[in-house]
Amino acid sequence: MKKSIYHFGLLFLLVLAAAIWIPRLAYLSEESRLDDEIVRLDEFRRQPVGSEIEEQIRELDRPGELLAVYWLESGFGTEKTELPISQLAARRKRWERSAGWSTYLGACQAIWDDLTYFPVASAGGSQRLSVSFADSWMYERSYKGERGHEGTDIMPSVNERGLFPVVSMTDGVIQNMGWLELGGWRIGIRAPGGAYFYYAHLDSYADLEEGDEVKAGDLLGYMGDTGYSTEEGTKGKFPVHLHLGIYLYQDGQEISVNPYAALKYVQDRCVEWKIR
């Protein structure tokens, strides 16, 4: 009898320990998703936005914090997670104790919270003039050797250079202008939160220069097909399109992130422009 009581008590303690420690271990495992290196991971750089959160962020002007928590709790979109905005503050508390939270949150906000407009102006009610884009993140490119495509290509319905106006998605300062072998005539804008927005293959520039401040919606230039040459002004190596890239800088290292979800977020927020 005593032996049975002993075994029962031991079993009870094991069950109790499991009830306490299995959830604790699961929590610690989830918490380990967050560290100082998180923004360098492919999972973060892909910026996955599932259908369960896509509609929610459309209602927000600054969705960076919501996405920051969503990615941690969903394992970067690998687990189905409901995250009502009303629960954001409570859900955030479990993560903000981690050492990497501040850097991680800042990165999410830098990418998302300055977004205002889609980068190609709308032609009003014209059905002939439209654009499309797909998630081509890290698809292979072969010019100058095999490499991954660090951006999203926005393709026009009419393959005509100098027709579609390119506008700034954010406020910011023009950090780079001029010719690049890969990007052709490009312009790079540092947004207030620190992210770098890169617009490439332009046919021409607006009246701008490095160091100028721009507002979201300001004209940057016109969509073209420049690049893939060391000779400035080279055109025609590929169809007309806008290559958009978004970059972060951490500890002096450039980190590209997938712009696709950000473009979907602003795809209905267009500046109307008279197409010339």
Side-chain angles (χ1 to χ4, degrees):
M1 185 70 176
K2 290 183 179 179
K3 196 171 184 180
S4 296
I5 295 173
Y6 171 77
H7 286 153
F8 179 79
L10 183 60
L11 180 61
F12 174 78
L13 290 174
L14 288 173
V15 171
L16 180 62
I20 294 172
W21 280 102
I22 289 177
R24 176 61 178 167
L25 289 173
Y27 173 80
L28 291 173
S29 176
E30 289 180 343
E31 197 174 43
S32 69
R33 293 172 179 168
L34 180 56
D35 59 35
D36 289 336
E37 296 299 309
I38 194 168
V39 299
R40 304 178 195 272
L41 300 179
D42 285 345
E43 292 86 346
F44 172 81
R45 295 174 62 208
R46 289 182 181 278
Q47 299 281 287
V49 175
S51 58
E52 72 273 21
I53 201 74
E54 187 174 20
E55 290 304 315
Q56 286 179 255
I57 67 171
R58 285 184 183 276
E59 304 301 318
L60 299 176
D61 288 330
R62 299 172 67 86
E65 182 181 1
L66 182 67
L67 284 168
V69 175
Y70 162 74
W71 282 323
L72 291 174
E73 301 217 340
S74 68
F76 290 97
T78 61
E79 304 163 16
K80 193 76 171 178
T81 301
E82 298 294 333
L83 181 55
I85 294 172
S86 61
Q87 295 182 15
L88 177 60
R91 299 278 193 96
R92 168 181 165 149
K93 286 182 179 179
R94 65 180 295 203
W95 301 105
E96 62 186 7
R97 296 190 299 269
S98 299
W101 169 255
S102 179
T103 298
Y104 166 71
L105 175 63
C108 295
Q109 291 175 326
I111 296 164
W112 287 88
D113 286 0
D114 291 323
L115 295 171
T116 304
Y117 291 118
F118 191 76
V120 181
S122 169
S126 173
Q127 296 181 348
R128 183 180 75 94
L129 301 178
S130 61
V131 298
S132 61
F133 60 95
D135 188 356
S136 59
W137 176 248
M138 287 299 165
Y139 280 23
E140 288 187 2
R141 294 292 187 269
S142 58
Y143 179 78
K144 302 289 286 187
E146 297 297 328
R147 57 189 173 81
H149 185 234
E150 293 187 344
T152 297
D153 289 338
I154 301 173
M155 310 301 298
S157 57
V158 177
N159 187 39
E160 182 178 335
R161 62 177 68 110
L163 180 62
F164 287 80
V166 175
V167 302
S168 181
M169 299 179 72
T170 68
D171 294 349
V173 176
I174 298 175
Q175 188 167 313
N176 293 295
M177 286 182 70
W179 185 262
L180 284 180
E181 181 178 356
L182 288 178
W185 282 318
R186 86 337 183 166
I187 188 166
I189 294 174
R190 182 75 60 191
Y196 181 79
F197 289 79
Y198 171 77
Y199 308 81
H201 308 310
L202 300 178
D203 182 67
S204 61
Y205 291 118
D207 185 16
L208 297 167
E209 58 185 37
E210 288 184 11
D212 284 353
E213 293 186 3
V214 296
K215 293 294 184 182
D218 282 355
L219 179 67
L220 302 180
Y222 287 85
M223 191 186 295
D225 56 351
T226 59
Y228 279 25
S229 175
T230 57
E231 183 179 346
E232 184 169 346
T234 297
K235 300 179 180 182
K237 295 290 188 73
F238 41 75
V240 170
H241 69 281
L242 173 68
H243 171 96
L244 176 78
I246 303 177
Y247 295 83
L248 298 171
Y249 287 85
Q250 185 181 51
D251 300 326
Q253 181 181 352
E254 180 181 86
I255 302 168
S256 63
V257 297
N258 188 356
Y260 177 71
L263 286 169
K264 289 191 70 178
Y265 169 69
V266 293
Q267 66 182 347
D268 296 324
R269 304 181 185 191
C270 294
V271 176
E272 287 204 8
W273 209 275
K274 184 178 180 180
I275 303 296
R276 65 185 187 186

